[in-house]
Amino acid sequence: MIYEGRNFVGGVWLESDTVPYVDTHNPATGEITGSIPCSSQAEVTHAIAAAFAASRNWRSVSRVQRADYFDKLAQLLKRDHDQLVATIVLETGKNPNEAHAEVIEALHMCQVAFGSGRTPYGEVIASELSTKDAQVFRKPKGVVAVIAPWNFPLAIGSFWASAPALVEGNTVVHKPSELTPMIAEQVAKLYEEAGFPPGVYNLIHGDGRTGQHLVEGDVDCILFTGSAEVGKSIRQHCASTWHKTCSCELGSKSAVITFEDGNLDLALDVSIASAFKLSGQRCVSSGRMLIERPIYDRFCEAFAARAGELKTGDMRSEQGCFYGPLISPEAVAKVEFYNQLVRQDARRNHDVEILLNGGPVDRQGNFMTPFVYACQWGDKKYLKEEVFGPHVALIPFEDVDQAIDIYNDTPYGLALGVVTDDFRKMRRCQRECNTGMLYLNGGSIAAESHLPFGGIGKSGNGYKSAAGTYRAVTEEIAVTTNYEEGKVTWAQGMK
Ligand code: NAD
């Protein structure tokens, strides 16, 4: 059956026949799977109004009760696990094991949200005057717009962003990616089944134009995860208002640094996973492997051999595939653009040697084989920009100082894996590498819902997602209460 996307607004599923529709595709075959409405400004305004109307009642519900809805939602996620995995695989082309991990990540976020209902949402702090009490308490911002990417279509928008926003007493308008709308709609039905009051959680479909209407609409906070360019435009818009804040979780040029003393087998395992899981289309995917000079040749040979054995294919019908297709023909063209830049440099420059000359596969679907090259660090587009595909540079370094300098020499700062047994090198990396997430003796691609997830610089603006979302969706209010009868003593000895 061909899927037809519908918006969920104010507790009602809405048909939309007055707006342009966008087709959705199976990335492994290119076949059309359905279509979604590209929701208009009027429809977005209607969704924001529904969220606003629900917001006064929702924030007056006890925090514990708001959180309790997530216990129910967690049970529904467990019940529908297999269906959810199947939809993620269909829409994204990702490995079922990774789709399973995504459902579990979403489940964990539900559990965190449920538990957080009974944890403090502020602090008691001493006033300098014994006649006063002081506290800091967090209150909801209001209507939160959630704009999500395609690559973790279940975990990020529907849970990492929406769950903390709702527990804190905000209401939500969620716009999923136009590339992966089905899974978001499946989850919206679970929100409905879990009994959230109408208007508390709303879903609207559409592409970037709908996203822009939402950003420019009357919302109080925007939780955006996606590309740096769109994130920048959202930050600029918020800066032009007085009240809107945004959390922008963006792209990266992440890396794994392997030191000579580290365990080479471990380094190869985590480097292959960090480079090629989800075809290199994770925000934290490592397109750069930094390797200490004495083990550089050995590492390059082994890495290229392992990468060359990775099989790509349709996860729904082919066995033994490590990764699936890229999300779209445009994504393939973008990766091939960077591959081509490297090929041009390799022809005229001895600093660049192609070890695996991968590229688009001549078959239906958006498949690519790994492109791997050995290369000195330098001021190259392909070394500094996010490629978002199976494209990996193997870069030598001489010592810890140079490893840190190379890692920091991009505007991004999202994730870093470091393989070493030397605790002093670990400490240097922890203190000096510009990264939001550091994995010591691990790859760059792990996430746990109860930790803040996010980057710095071009990777993020400091408001983290997952557990970090609680801070992004609340205002901290400092409250001081005077208990003297009929008078007040001022702080700092003021008369
Ligand atoms: P994208 O920026 O193209 O789209 C993300 C979302 O923004 C989609 O819902 C899209 O419809 C919407 N959008 C597009 N233009 C918009 C506009 N002008 N105004 C408002 N909304 C707009 O990103 P994508 O291709 O879906 O995802 C891949 C990118 O996301 C990569 O750069 C990846 O690194 C990044 N990402 C970051 C994280 C993180 O946590 N840091 C996680 C996943 C993905």
Side-chain angles (χ1 to χ4, degrees):
M1 198 183 74
I2 289 281
Y3 157 78
E4 280 180 25
R6 287 185 306 161
N7 292 339
F8 181 60
V9 174
V12 180
W13 288 95
L14 300 171
E15 306 286 345
S16 174
D17 47 18
T18 56
V19 292
Y21 272 71
V22 185
D23 284 337
T24 55
H25 297 88
N26 176 344
T29 61
E31 285 161 358
I32 294 179
T33 47
S35 66
I36 51 160
C38 190
S39 302
S40 65
Q41 188 165 17
E43 286 169 304
V44 170
T45 304
H46 175 55
I48 295 171
F52 182 73
S55 112
R56 180 177 285 224
N57 278 345
W58 181 242
R59 65 167 67 192
S60 67
V61 171
S62 130
R63 182 186 171 84
V64 171
Q65 282 174 348
R66 288 197 302 259
D68 279 351
Y69 287 95
F70 286 93
D71 185 33
K72 173 80 179 170
L73 199 47
Q75 309 314 317
L76 298 176
L77 278 184
K78 287 183 195 170
R79 182 195 71 191
D80 289 358
H81 168 277
D82 294 356
Q83 274 170 276
L84 295 165
V85 167
T87 308
I88 295 172
V89 174
L90 169 68
E91 287 198 303
T92 64
K94 74 170 71 165
N95 189 313
N97 168 261
E98 289 179 69
H100 157 77
E102 183 175 351
V103 176
I104 299 302
E105 206 166 278
L107 173 66
H108 289 166
M109 194 70 231
C110 269
Q111 292 167 334
V112 170
F114 171 51
S116 68
R118 292 172 193 268
T119 57
Y121 60 107
E123 294 168 76
V124 175
I125 298 179
S127 162
E128 67 179 65
L129 296 160
S130 63
T131 50
K132 288 181 178 173
D133 281 346
Q135 58 168 306
V136 175
F137 104 108
R138 296 200 317 262
K139 70 176 199 182
K141 286 194 171 165
V143 175
V144 171
V146 172
I147 302 178
W150 69 265
N151 63 344
F152 285 84
L154 171 73
I156 291 180
S158 306
F159 292 97
W160 276 17
S162 296
L166 293 171
V167 169
E168 290 292 353
N170 303 279
T171 53
V172 164
V173 179
H174 173 197
K175 193 206 82 64
S177 167
E178 62 276 27
L179 300 171
T180 51
M182 284 186 216
I183 187 72
E185 203 168 312
Q186 221 164 312
V187 174
K189 289 185 180 137
L190 300 185
Y191 268 95
E192 186 184 21
E193 191 179 343
F196 284 85
V200 164
Y201 174 85
N202 305 276
L203 180 85
I204 48 160
H205 288 297
D207 60 14
R209 291 166 290 181
T210 303
Q212 202 165 344
H213 296 320
L214 187 53
V215 167
E216 290 168 4
D218 195 7
V219 297
D220 302 291
C221 171
I222 300 156
L223 302 179
F224 172 76
T225 306
S227 58
E229 293 64 34
V230 177
K232 187 175 183 182
S233 72
I234 291 173
R235 289 176 72 171
Q236 282 168 337
H237 171 77
C238 289
S240 73
T241 74
W242 289 117
H243 69 293
K244 282 187 205 178
T245 59
C246 59
S247 153
C248 292
E249 287 305 335
L250 312 173
S252 86
K253 193 72 180 174
S254 295
V256 177
I257 300 176
T258 300
F259 287 97
E260 184 194 2
D261 66 85
N263 180 312
L264 189 59
D265 289 336
L266 170 73
L268 285 164
D269 279 352
V270 300
S271 299
I272 290 283
S274 302
F276 299 114
K277 277 210 179 283
L278 190 48
S279 330
Q281 300 172 104
R282 290 172 174 241
C283 54
V284 287
S285 291
S286 281
R288 300 183 294 162
M289 299 302 157
L290 278 48
I291 305 122
E292 199 161 14
R293 180 71 75 184
I295 55 164
Y296 183 66
D297 291 344
R298 237 180 337 138
F299 186 102
C300 288
E301 193 183 327
F303 185 91
R306 297 241 332 232
E309 285 166 8
L310 299 178
K311 190 177 159 202
T312 177
D314 185 343
M315 292 292 170
R316 297 186 346 133
S317 57
E318 292 168 55
Q319 297 297 313
C321 299
F322 187 83
Y323 67 79
L326 271 68
I327 189 64
S328 64
E330 293 75 25
V332 172
K334 180 180 167 196
V335 177
E336 191 50 14
F337 165 78
Y338 287 102
N339 291 351
Q340 200 52 31
L341 290 183
V342 179
R343 289 186 194 108
Q344 281 164 12
D345 267 5
R347 277 198 286 275
R348 51 176 186 240
N349 183 342
H350 293 304
D351 280 353
V352 183
E353 183 191 354
I354 295 172
L355 305 179
L356 275 181
N357 195 2
V361 181
D362 187 17
R363 60 175 277 189
Q364 234 187 0
N366 313 317
F367 295 98
M368 294 191 89
T369 51
F371 186 87
V372 178
Y373 53 105
C375 177
Q376 300 298 313
W377 184 249
D379 203 14
K380 306 282 186 191
K381 234 174 143 53
Y382 49 81
L383 291 178
K384 300 216 170 168
E385 294 180 3
E386 181 182 51
V387 175
F388 219 49
H391 169 111
V392 185
L394 308 179
I395 302 151
F397 67 83
E398 304 301 334
D399 54 25
V400 64
D401 291 319
Q402 195 186 18
I404 293 167
D405 286 348
I406 294 175
Y407 179 78
N408 286 343
D409 192 19
T410 82
Y412 290 104
L414 189 56
L416 168 64
V418 173
V419 180
T420 179
D421 284 340
D422 182 333
F423 63 90
R424 292 191 179 84
K425 288 177 187 153
M426 289 182 183
R427 186 169 190 253
R428 294 274 321 266
C429 291
Q430 183 166 341
R431 287 172 176 232
E432 295 175 48
C433 288
N434 300 331
T435 185
M437 291 170 292
L438 174 64
Y439 302 91
L440 298 170
N441 284 321
S444 63
I445 58 161
E448 296 187 45
S449 299
H450 57 284
L451 300 173
F453 185 97
I456 57 179
K458 197 174 172 182
S459 295
N461 65 342
Y463 287 106
K464 304 287 157 96
S465 68
T469 307
Y470 287 94
R471 288 208 164 271
V473 294
T474 49
E475 302 289 2
E476 278 189 341
I477 312 292
V479 181
T480 310
T481 310
N482 169 33
Y483 292 100
E484 286 185 284
E485 278 190 40
K487 60 174 184 160
V488 64
T489 306
W490 303 101
Q492 299 97 34
M494 191 174 75
K495 301 283 185 207

